[in-house]
Amino acid sequence: MKKTLAILAALLMLGACTKDLEMDFDDIEPQVVAMSCVEPDSTLMLRLTYSRFFLSDRPFRTIDDATASLTVNGTVTEEVVAAAGGNYGFAYRPQPGDRLDLRVSVPGRDAVSASTTVPHPASLANLRASLISHDQYDCTYSVRFTLDDPADEDNFYIIRVINHRHYSDEYGNHDRDAYCRFSCNDYLLTEGIDLGSLLDGDNPGEYYGGEFFFTDGNINGLSHEVELLCSTENEAPELYLVITSCSRDRYLYEFSTRNHDDDIFGEPMQVHCNIDGGIGIFAARSRSVLPIPLQQ
Amino acid sequence: MPRVPLSLLLFSIFNFQFSILEAQTVSGTVTDSRTGETLIGATVLETATGHGTVTNAHGRYSLTPGTRAVNLRFSYIGYKPQVHTFDLTTDALINVRLEPAVELDEVTVTAERVALPQLSQMSAVELPVEQIKLVPVLFGEADVLKAIQLLPGVQSGTEGTSGIYVRGGGPDENLFLLDGVPLYNVNHLGGFFSAFNSDAIKNVTLYKGSFPARFSGRISSVLDIATNNGNDREWHGSASVGAIAAKFSIEGPLVKERTTMSLSLRRTYLDLLLQPLLLAAASEMGGERVNAGYYFYDLNAKLTHRFSDRSRLYASLYMGDDAVYLRSTYRYGDYDGYRYDDAIKMRYAWGNLAAAVRWNYVLNPQLFMNITGAYTRYRNRLSLGMELDDENPGESRHEEAEVSFRSGIHDFTARADFDYAPHPDHSIRFGAVATNHLFRPEVAGYRVAGTGMQTIDTTLGESVVHAQEFTLYAEDDWTVSDALKVNAGLAAAAFLVQGSFYPSVQPRLSGRLMLSDDLSLKAGYAYMTQYLHLLSTSNVSLPTDLWVPVTKRIPPMGSHQVAAGVFYSRWGIDFSVEGYYKWMHNLMEYLPGSSFFGSSTGWENKVCLGDGRAYGLELLAQKTVGDFTGWVGYTLSRTLRTFPQLNDGREFPAKYDRIHDLSITVQYKPNKRFDCGVTWVYATGNTATLALQQFEGDRAGGWNVGEPEPEVLGYVESRNNFRLPAYHRMDLSVNFHKQKRRGVRTWNISVYNLYNRQNPFFVYRGYKEGYSSADGGYRSTPVLKQLSIFPIIPSVSYIYKF
């Protein structure tokens, strides 16, 4: 009992060192938040809200009385005035190569704006897969493809692999999609050894996870053979390769949202925004979803 | 026409040479009469002509007074001055042993002192070791760096740590010299203690700017620490037991007045104290056994041999290591021959080793030489692993896996330094330094083995980077007139790494103008270059911080610093006001989201380069003799950074940008039986990066297949946009001394953070839970919380000196 009390006393001493902080913050005016993920051949949706003070737990206020105008390749194409619930829909369906300029006017505030260029989908060829190991429960496929990177431009890619499953139970037939973990041992893409993977118990020198972010810094203008090792359950897997070609802003936004609060030892990651005069992201991406031919 | 000026020039040179040849030189060593320790910075003054000098790092002086009848006065803080009167007809050797002032009387003797305005050096502070020992500190463990942190122009890092940030510089921009040998990691226990054992130290000088040309390699400060040579007449020692560490030191003559040795040891015993708690925890937790602990030790050893009055040899060794370890074993079952043990283990060790051999030789009374050969090593190793033992009747299985990460740096240095006093008005120093750096930046190991398994044992990144650094320097301390003194110097450095060559010419200039006997103006300029970078995150300082050399892509850091000040002395107190402006370039920061755990061979891709600027005003009032001693230091400063890849390229405050920084240190020593010290510090809070707004973003990917889903995200408007509450605390230290039959015992009582101020270590967004007073409903409200790590901490130490 005495020992327990000693431990409790030690914990109490440590616990006593935390306290709520009363601070006078300068007035922090809520800012206009514009969120839009632009994709080719899809109607363009824009969501407008206000930001809130970080110690508030109220719901975000939507902006219903704004005027949003869209300029495509230098020509004002469409204007949407006021939308309930803060969701503004444009009829225009962007195409790869389009340059889009967005301008949002909210009564009583300065206008906010942003621009993006719709990237072309990634150029892939020779997608194939081979089974390299399997046991009673799991199997591992080597998935290979050739990525043709356009020269003279910066390209940003995200690779994901989806495992689509059909299954039946007493409630009926179901479909379920889940991201599949994979590794990529390609120094040109991973830019070095990642000790974080090592400490996680993964093979060093490889990317391992469910989303692989990389740029064309080391493969600019090249046809580059990419190999992924995908591990999945050994139950009739149906794999799809999702490769997303992003505008720079979209890539940085997605990358920063993945990493902004992960590592207490790292410098805090600022979520990337590109709204001039406000917060949020108006940026494009082109996704290609390709079925991976599997040897069963 | 050209013949006239040429004749004049030749005449001047001849005249100068003649005057040199005509003048006789007096030289020698100044030592403590009781211990034989050489005294660094003792003043030697010819009272009639006003010509003077100070002893160098080896206690040597050389003076050409320019007069036959010499009245030489030797003085040093805390010692009774001596006057030697003689006719100087030939070069003379005068070795002086000064008597400690406090030994002469029961009451305090006001010792001779050199006032700050008279010294030509500016932006330098010398702290007597006895004063450092009186500064109250955490756990009662006297610490050089903690005392240095109390000086103006020096900011401390995270609370309790001994990192120093000098005039807007980073923690890696300080050159720590232990007997002239650079040390890389000077922290124990994550920085809560420095590597310098105060029992082993003789002299400490901090240079914040106007660096003499003999120092180079770091851009923000030089901390020059000299260790004890050892008593050359009698054996003495001390032993102490404190709250967390025990120390032992001994010194004495191996051959009387010829060969001395000095040895100091320190070790913490936190790991031993922790064991009962761990045993208690284990018994409460059932099957789990935990063995964990932390310790550090350091050792300072020095051997000095005097061949003659002209020749001395020093051999010194410093070793210091830290280790934190954990092994947790959980036994799931132990019955009928079945047993299943699952263990995780971790060990983290890091440390320095510095060894040096130095040879002093007086070539002639005007020329003194010091030759040094040194080896420095810093290394760290982290290993994480697991073990599994599964025993069944007839079958047993063992598996183990370990990942490890280690890095190191080895330096081999040879240097030659010369002090040359050819003329009463010139004191010249010149020399050369060559260092071979051997970096082993990162070696990762991965090992898996087990019963029936194929063993994998991989080592990655076992590449060694060799680099060579060369420096030539020369400086002249020139007495232009009685009022004006100038120190002009030049350091020429070069760094060779992987086929890249980085030369650098670094001019240094400082001057002093006496306006009256106790008032002077000083100004200085220094350009410094640094060829090593420390890879470190800005959030914490850990031993995994990695020293790397400049590369083709990462150029050297540099800084220009100008400083000017007014120095005044009255009532035995030195007052100074100094202003400075510093420009820094090629500073390095991690890119957002990167951290040391992501660093490896691709570290260059995870950092970015930028510029910095710092400016400020420093006020210091310091009293070093008398019953009451201490200082008041105040700094008004800004430290700013601009990195194209950070904060959208906008300028932002550095993490330790503190606008106001005040420290008051008072020590009272009325007699030999009692002394005490009080310190109060106040500083503007550190900056932190905090998302003060939230917004409704979206998140595609992750494990959500399909359309992006709304997600609450934090919005950071700019880096280091938030300032933590002000930092302040008071510390107290009281010593009771008593003469015993075989020595003096001292009880030290220290209280850190006397009024229990909860200073912020870091802040975070948390929740306040409780029932509302309005409607009695249960609420969970977001609040800003702070974590404080050091409440009031009393400690007691026992010291016995024999």
Side-chain angles (χ1 to χ4, degrees), chain A residues 10 12 52 55 62 104 116 133 227 240 244 247 270 285:
Chain A
L12 197 65
R52 71 182 183 200
L55 295 181
T62 58
V104 176
T116 189
S133 70
E227 182 184 18
Y240 293 85
T244 308
S247 66
Q270 298 180 26
R285 67 182 187 187

Side-chain angles (χ1 to χ4, degrees), chain A residues 68-82:
Chain A
S69 65
L70 183 69
T71 302
V72 181
N73 299 322
T75 306
V76 176
T77 305
E78 204 172 344
E79 192 171 89
V80 180
V81 181

Side-chain angles (χ1 to χ4, degrees), chain A residues 105-271:
Chain A
S105 299
V106 178
R109 289 174 171 269
D110 293 336
V112 302
S113 60
S115 301
T116 189
T117 299
V118 184
H120 289 273
S123 175
L124 261 65
N126 202 16
L127 175 62
R128 64 223 188 260
S130 57
L131 182 67
I132 57 171
S133 70
H134 68 97
D135 59 21
Q136 190 179 352
Y137 306 105
D138 300 312
C139 58
T140 302
Y141 288 94
S142 164
V143 176
R144 290 170 174 266
F145 58 89
T146 304
L147 175 66
D148 291 315
D149 181 72
D152 303 326
E153 61 182 65
D154 294 332
N155 292 290
F156 304 87
Y157 302 103
I158 306 170
I159 290 178
R160 300 181 180 103
V161 176
I162 292 175
N163 185 5
H164 181 76
R165 289 186 58 205
H166 305 279
Y167 64 97
S168 302
D169 56 20
E170 68 264 35
Y171 303 107
N173 296 323
H174 307 279
D175 290 309
R176 195 188 68 152
D177 287 338
Y179 282 114
C180 173
R181 282 187 174 269
F182 61 91
S183 60
C184 178
N185 190 3
D186 188 329
Y187 284 79
L188 287 176
L189 305 184
T190 56
E191 296 183 334
I193 302 167
D194 183 3
L195 185 67
S197 303
L198 189 75
L199 294 172
D200 288 343
D202 304 332
N203 292 332
E206 294 182 344
Y207 166 77
Y208 181 68
E211 296 172 290
F212 182 29
F213 288 74
F214 65 97
T215 69
D216 65 349
N218 294 328
I219 58 165
N220 188 27
L222 301 176
S223 283
H224 184 72
E225 177 91 354
V226 180
E227 182 184 18
L228 313 176
L229 294 180
C230 306
S231 297
T232 183
E233 293 168 4
N234 189 10
E235 195 177 307
E238 191 179 317
L239 300 183
Y240 293 85
L241 176 72
V242 182
I243 182 159
T244 308
S245 174
C246 298
S247 66
R248 180 179 179 277
D249 286 324
R250 186 74 210 176
Y251 179 87
L252 293 175
Y253 171 77
E254 293 207 14
F255 185 78
S256 59
T257 56
R258 298 298 176 282
N259 296 285
H260 80 293
D261 56 2
D262 277 357
D263 184 359
I264 60 162
F265 295 116
E267 177 63 27
M269 171 74 87
Q270 298 180 26
V271 173

Side-chain angles (χ1 to χ4, degrees), chain B residues 559-599:
Chain B
S559 78
H560 297 270
Q561 188 184 156
V562 290
V566 182
F567 299 79
Y568 180 67
S569 186
R570 179 58 67 95
W571 313 297
I573 303 173
D574 289 323
F575 300 90
S576 68
V577 179
E578 281 191 53
Y580 67 90
Y581 201 105
K582 187 156 112 182
W583 300 262
M584 296 160 276
H585 55 265
N586 294 330
L587 303 178
M588 200 168 76
E589 290 265 7
Y590 265 106
L591 285 166
S594 299
S595 79
F596 69 95
F597 274 157
S599 164

